[in-house]
């Protein structure tokens, strides 16, 4: 198997050639004057209600089937009954589906989801991410939907570039529908604008960690505060340039742009080691808060921090969350990998009676703007309303479902409070993303499962103090490696490299 394999490509090309692929860009009667293409600002080219051919055929039979979708959020909405009635009225007519939702609160999610999956509790669709995707596939929990995607999801196949399908492949088979949103990773430095203005900081030149040290020393002295305030996972973003290849640990990976695809013990790599030294130096100088290694929660205010997102999030999210004006600066290239794609997935149960209907529903949720808004914003007239110019005005912030779990961002109607279309910004980042050399590869950890589990535990014992600068990396990394080698680390590395070489066609 090589990266050149593209299972969906030939089918997609054939459908396009026949002129059947109308996708997510076509118009259609949405039942709301404010929900047409011209209403969605810069996202108009990918908005508008429309039916895929598969959905139309399914609805034509007149049969209504019941589906259950399990997802995460703030619990069941208070207006669930009236909201789901409006959803079912719409999708029943379109694709012959009657939907039931179970919205599990954030704090209960891991335990409840594990029970549902492990006990074969009835459901048809379930949300998940890369943390459990492979393990659940190995349990036999999810249906192989590879050959069902093309006839049932023509809209999403047009909307979402093929490389995002590659991000969910496991041994060249697909078991999940990725949520096409900020599905690549772009990291930004977020600075308190007041400090940037006060000190005349040129943040465009302050990309690498070592370029910030002098400024942080000054801020520490002048402000008597910690310029870098972190919790126990520390400055974890430094590992984002390494594809974790499905190993589930920061210390194993392949650098995203390494055409030789060398499997690394990342702590020993020069780029990582250099940054760990800087972090340790910051800790010693009091730039990092001394209790960082034991904190499980950060704080609201930060002079500087790094987050994944997009530039306008500084105005729409990061600044408002902190209660300050902020300025942001991209610090790394935008990267696409399995991990970034698998941040939001929806899987079809192996036990469902209606897998095609599940896919048709997810196609509509992704591509039909009227339905997409119902899931993203809540009930029209209760949680939101359309303005005269076709944008969305939020009546309240009570909606309990989490928008990132459901479907694409790029068919959501923009808010009346948005000065720019952030969906266009995110889509542009996705399209410009550099694909990891490991996109489409998933490490089969079964041959070294015990060794890998033991090695993960070793790293977890050290991680907080390494990533917050408490430990000197030149001293502690050799110690970590010694323990890892005794636990079978070399076997893990060798097996990973063998599989990677096979994937790369070596």
């Amino acid at each position: 198997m090589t990266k050149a394999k593209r299972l969906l490509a030939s089918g997609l090309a054939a459908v396009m050639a026949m002129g059947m692929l109308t996708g997510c860009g076509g118009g259609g009667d949405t039942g709301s004057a404010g929900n047409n293409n011209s209403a969605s600002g810069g996202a108009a080219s990918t908005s508008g209600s429309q039916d895929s051919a598969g959905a139309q055929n399914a609805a034509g039979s007149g049969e209504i089937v019941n589906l259950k979708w399990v997802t995460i959020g703030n619990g069941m909405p208070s207006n669930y009954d009236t909201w789901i009635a409006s959803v079912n009225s719409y999708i029943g007519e379109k694709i012959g589906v009657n939907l039931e939702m179970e919205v599990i609160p954030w704090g209960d999610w891991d335990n409840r989801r594990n029970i549902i999956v492990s006990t074969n509790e009835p459901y048809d669709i379930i949300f998940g991410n890369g943390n459990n995707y492979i393990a659940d596939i190995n349990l036999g929990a999810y249906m192989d939907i590879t050959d069902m995607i093309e006839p049932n999801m023509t809209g999403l196949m047009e909307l979402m570039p093929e490389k995002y399908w590659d991000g969910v492949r496991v041994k060249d088979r697909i078991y999940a529908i990725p949520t096409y949103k900020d599905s690549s990773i772009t990291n930004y430095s977020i600075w308190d604008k007041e400090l940037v203005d006060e000190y005349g900081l040129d943040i465009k030149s302050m990309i690498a960690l070592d370029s910030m040290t002098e400024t942080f020393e000054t801020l520490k002295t002048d402000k008597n505060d910690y310029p870098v305030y972190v919790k126990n996972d520390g400055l974890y973003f430094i590992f984002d340039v390494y594809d974790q290849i499905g190993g589930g640990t920061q210390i194993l990976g392949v650098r995203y742009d390494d055409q030789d695809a060398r499997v690394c013990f990342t702590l020993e790599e020069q780029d990582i080691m250099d940054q760990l030294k800087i972090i340790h130096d910051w800790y010693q100088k009091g730039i990092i808060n001394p209790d960082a290694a034991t904190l499980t929660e950060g704080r609201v205010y930060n002079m500087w921090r790094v987050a994944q997102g997009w530039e306008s999030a500084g105005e729409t999210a990061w600044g408002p969350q902190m209660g300050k004006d902020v300025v942001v600066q991209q610090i790394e290239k935008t990267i696409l990998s399995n991990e970034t794609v698998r941040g939001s997935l929806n899987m079809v149960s192996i036990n469902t009676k209606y897998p095609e209907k599940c896919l048709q529903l997810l196609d509509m949720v992704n591509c039909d703007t009227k339905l997409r808004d119902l899931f993203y914003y809540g009930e029209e007239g209760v949680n939101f309303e359309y303005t005269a110019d076709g944008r969305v005005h939020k009546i309240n912030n009570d909606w309990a479902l989490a928008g990132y779990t459901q479907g694409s961002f790029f068919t959501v109607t923009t808010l009346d409070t948005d000065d720019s279309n952030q969906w266009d910004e995110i889509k542009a980042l996705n399209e410009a993303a550099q694909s990891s050399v490991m996109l489409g590869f998933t490490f089969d950890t079964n041959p070294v499962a015990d060794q890998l589990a033991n090695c993960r535990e070793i790293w977890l014992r050290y991680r907080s103090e390494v990533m917050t600068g408490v430990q000197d990396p030149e001293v502690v990394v050799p110690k970590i490696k010694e323990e890892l080698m005794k636990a079978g680390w070399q076997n893990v590395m060798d097996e990973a490299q063998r599989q990677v070489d096979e994937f790369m066609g070596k």
Side-chain angles (χ1 to χ4, degrees):
M1 177 179 68
T2 69
K3 290 183 68 179
K5 281 193 173 183
R6 296 291 183 266
L7 186 142
L8 291 175
S10 60
L12 178 57
V15 173
M16 292 180 70
M18 291 186 290
M20 292 172 59
L21 196 59
T22 57
C24 299
D29 181 9
T30 66
S32 170
N35 209 25
N36 52 47
N37 275 347
S38 61
S40 300
S45 63
T46 57
S47 296
S49 175
Q50 84 103 49
D51 303 319
S52 68
Q56 290 173 327
N57 292 338
S61 68
E63 179 188 11
I64 301 291
V65 303
N66 296 317
L67 298 181
K68 181 178 180 180
W69 187 353
V70 178
T71 191
I72 192 172
N74 287 324
M76 297 296 288
S78 58
N79 56 323
Y80 171 78
D81 289 344
T82 52
W83 171 78
I84 198 68
S86 64
V87 168
N88 283 329
S89 175
Y90 190 63
I91 64 176
E93 178 184 346
K94 297 286 187 179
I95 56 171
V97 165
N98 185 76
L99 181 64
E100 173 191 354
M101 299 290 296
E102 179 178 352
V103 186
I104 300 172
W106 302 97
D108 299 334
W109 173 253
D110 287 337
N111 184 58
R112 176 76 180 115
R113 189 208 67 84
N114 289 339
I115 291 173
I116 291 171
V117 173
S118 62
T119 63
N120 283 321
E121 189 172 315
Y123 69 90
D124 298 279
I125 303 169
I126 193 167
F127 169 75
N129 55 39
N131 293 336
N132 39 54
Y133 182 49
I134 302 301
D136 290 348
I137 291 172
N138 290 336
L139 283 175
Y142 305 141
M143 184 164 291
D144 178 349
I145 57 175
T146 313
D147 300 326
M148 288 183 273
I149 293 171
E150 182 183 317
N152 292 287
M153 305 195 80
T154 54
L156 185 56
M157 286 180 67
E158 181 183 25
L159 175 65
M160 185 169 68
E162 187 183 335
K163 60 186 178 181
Y164 289 85
W165 292 109
D166 290 341
V168 292
R169 292 183 188 276
V170 178
K171 296 182 179 178
D172 213 33
R173 307 302 292 174
I174 297 174
Y175 298 85
I177 303 302
T179 302
Y180 184 43
K181 52 183 193 64
D182 52 332
S183 303
S184 52
I185 185 169
T186 313
N187 283 318
Y188 290 84
S189 280
I190 306 166
W191 294 84
D192 180 345
K193 185 178 185 298
E194 185 177 340
L195 295 177
V196 172
D197 292 343
E198 179 182 350
Y199 289 88
L201 300 180
D202 178 15
I203 66 171
K204 291 184 178 180
S205 67
M206 301 169 70
I207 304 297
L209 295 186
D210 58 0
S211 69
M212 304 174 192
T213 302
E214 184 176 348
T215 295
F216 287 158
E217 289 175 327
T218 300
L219 292 173
K220 168 65 178 175
T221 300
D222 291 357
K223 304 301 180 183
N224 193 30
D225 195 3
Y226 305 105
V228 181
Y229 197 98
V230 294
K231 60 185 182 68
N232 59 6
D233 54 357
L235 282 79
Y236 59 87
F237 67 87
I238 67 172
F239 289 109
D240 285 344
V241 294
Y242 284 87
D243 191 313
Q244 294 182 17
I245 65 173
T249 179
Q250 296 162 314
I251 63 175
L252 179 72
V254 173
R255 188 174 165 91
Y256 80 98
D257 55 359
D258 179 9
Q259 298 301 318
D260 292 330
R262 178 175 59 89
V263 176
C264 305
F265 173 41
T266 57
L267 296 178
E268 285 188 327
E269 293 302 297
Q270 195 63 54
D271 55 349
I272 298 296
M273 177 58 74
D274 287 345
Q275 292 177 94
L276 291 176
K277 289 178 185 178
I278 294 166
I279 295 168
H280 177 55
D281 179 57
W282 288 356
Y283 183 83
Q284 289 184 308
K285 291 177 175 176
I287 290 170
I288 295 176
N289 50 302
D291 58 349
T294 59
L295 285 182
T296 57
E297 296 290 338
R299 69 178 184 183
V300 173
Y301 174 75
N302 294 276
M303 297 186 193
W304 169 91
R305 70 183 181 96
V306 172
Q308 176 191 347
W310 50 93
E311 188 171 350
S312 64
E315 297 178 1
T316 62
W318 297 325
Q321 288 165 4
M322 197 166 76
K324 299 276 287 185
D325 289 337
V326 300
V327 288
V328 304
Q329 175 61 47
Q330 185 173 339
I331 60 172
E332 283 285 359
K333 292 182 178 179
T334 302
I335 300 170
L336 173 67
S337 69
N338 290 349
E339 283 87 1
T340 66
V341 174
R342 295 176 186 179
S344 177
L345 306 171
N346 280 288
M347 283 70 65
V348 175
S349 170
I350 190 67
N351 296 317
T352 184
K353 297 178 181 178
Y354 309 107
E356 292 86 358
K357 293 286 189 179
C358 291
L359 298 183
Q360 291 165 21
L361 172 64
L362 290 171
D363 195 54
M364 274 197 76
V365 170
N366 275 278
C367 297
D368 184 309
T369 296
K370 177 177 179 178
L371 186 62
R372 186 71 194 95
D373 287 350
L374 283 170
F375 273 85
Y376 195 84
Y377 293 118
E379 185 179 356
E380 186 177 358
V382 176
N383 303 109
F384 78 97
E385 60 191 5
Y386 290 105
T387 62
D389 62 351
R391 303 177 84 181
V392 162
H393 172 73
K394 292 178 73 172
I395 298 172
N396 54 56
N397 293 309
D398 297 340
W399 187 235
L401 273 68
Y404 81 94
T405 66
Q406 305 156 355
S408 176
F409 282 175
F410 310 125
T411 49
V412 177
T413 301
T414 55
L415 288 169
D416 59 348
T417 54
D418 288 348
D419 294 329
S420 61
N421 192 320
Q422 63 179 336
W423 308 136
D424 280 355
E425 185 182 348
I426 298 167
K427 191 173 185 181
L429 286 172
N430 281 346
E431 291 173 350
Q434 184 169 341
S435 297
S436 167
V437 294
M438 291 287 94
L439 185 66
F441 169 81
T442 299
F443 180 25
D444 179 3
T445 62
N446 285 322
V448 288
D450 292 340
Q451 296 98 315
L452 181 57
N454 291 335
C455 290
R456 286 190 190 120
E457 289 302 315
I458 291 169
W459 167 235
L460 288 176
R461 290 206 316 270
Y462 287 96
R463 183 180 64 179
S464 292
E465 293 195 345
V466 174
M467 299 310 301
T468 59
V470 176
Q471 294 276 5
D472 181 348
E474 292 187 295
V475 174
V476 74
V477 168
K479 183 178 179 182
I480 294 171
K481 185 175 182 181
E482 182 179 359
E483 290 191 39
L484 290 171
M485 296 301 281
K486 291 179 181 178
W489 184 245
Q490 192 61 56
N491 291 339
V492 173
M493 294 277 287
D494 290 345
E495 179 61 25
Q497 189 68 68
R498 184 191 68 77
Q499 293 184 28
V500 166
D501 288 346
E502 181 180 345
F503 174 76
M504 297 295 288
K506 295 183 179 180

